[in-house]
Amino acid sequence: MSSVISPEIHQKIQHWKERLAGVRGDNALFNFNTSMKKAIKFLIPAAELFQDLVNEEKSIKITDQQTEPEGLERITILKQLCKSANDMQRQKGVNCLFIAIGMLTWESGGKSKNSLPILLIPVELQKVKKRDEYILTVINEDFLLNPVLIYALNNEHGITLRDIPIGQSLNYNDLIDQVQEDIFEQKT
């Protein structure tokens, strides 16, 4: 029996890997679009948001002053996010709600540009009873580097990102610098 894989089979396997990893335009972890109708953009500096959520484990009251869109559109999106996240948690026992911090712009084969979130912070969204207010709370899970980003960098460029040091006070800018260093050191 031969262990040589034909180019056609290898290509199919690669295609399946990419589909499993979610390296497609319809995956928000590969092609995050801030104009999506299912995302809220925080106007708070990323380093401050990271510090509040990860290091200080603060809950954040979501207001018009710190997010886009504002008003009724923001409330509609938050209501949908809350419902979807609660349904997924109830039905499958999985948290699917994350704050994405830091973006890497990716050109795939010179064709299109994608924005990939770098860090994902697992959160919970709760509605304040009898008000159109929502509270964002970090849940008891570690934040992580975007797994689709890790796969895409490794698969297309052979770049491996270092693990994030968990269990100590972390600085957002240091983490982004670490990712940047990993990419530039291995790209050259």
Side-chain angles (χ1 to χ4, degrees), residues 87-181:
D87 288 349
M88 182 68 80
Q89 183 70 43
R90 213 174 13 263
Q91 293 171 6
K92 302 201 179 192
V94 174
N95 176 54
C96 65
L97 192 59
F98 294 85
I99 295 286
I101 299 183
M103 290 288 167
L104 177 75
T105 301
W106 179 280
E107 276 191 45
S108 186
K111 300 176 209 166
S112 62
K113 286 187 177 182
N114 296 324
S115 291
L116 287 81
I118 297 172
L119 299 172
L120 302 174
I121 303 170
V123 293
E124 177 180 70
L125 188 61
Q126 297 173 329
K127 184 179 184 315
V128 177
K129 293 190 188 286
K130 302 194 186 233
R131 292 190 172 162
D132 283 334
E133 294 177 0
Y134 288 83
I135 307 279
L136 192 67
T137 307
V138 70
I139 61 173
N140 194 18
E141 290 179 22
D142 292 332
F143 71 95
L144 64 148
L145 288 170
N146 177 354
V148 175
L149 172 66
I150 292 169
Y151 175 83
L153 283 172
N154 190 281
N155 190 49
E156 287 196 29
H157 298 286
I159 294 173
T160 304
L161 299 178
R162 287 176 277 171
D163 290 333
I164 297 172
I166 302 295
Q168 56 186 339
S169 185
L170 300 167
N171 179 291
Y172 168 77
N173 293 322
D174 291 343
L175 289 171
I176 296 301
D177 287 347
Q178 175 182 314
V179 169
Q180 216 171 19
E181 286 171 19

Side-chain angles (χ1 to χ4, degrees), residues 13-28:
I13 291 171
Q14 188 62 29
H15 177 73
W16 292 335
K17 281 182 179 179
E18 288 176 3
R19 290 200 59 207
L20 281 171
V23 185
R24 298 185 315 220
D26 61 342
N27 182 346

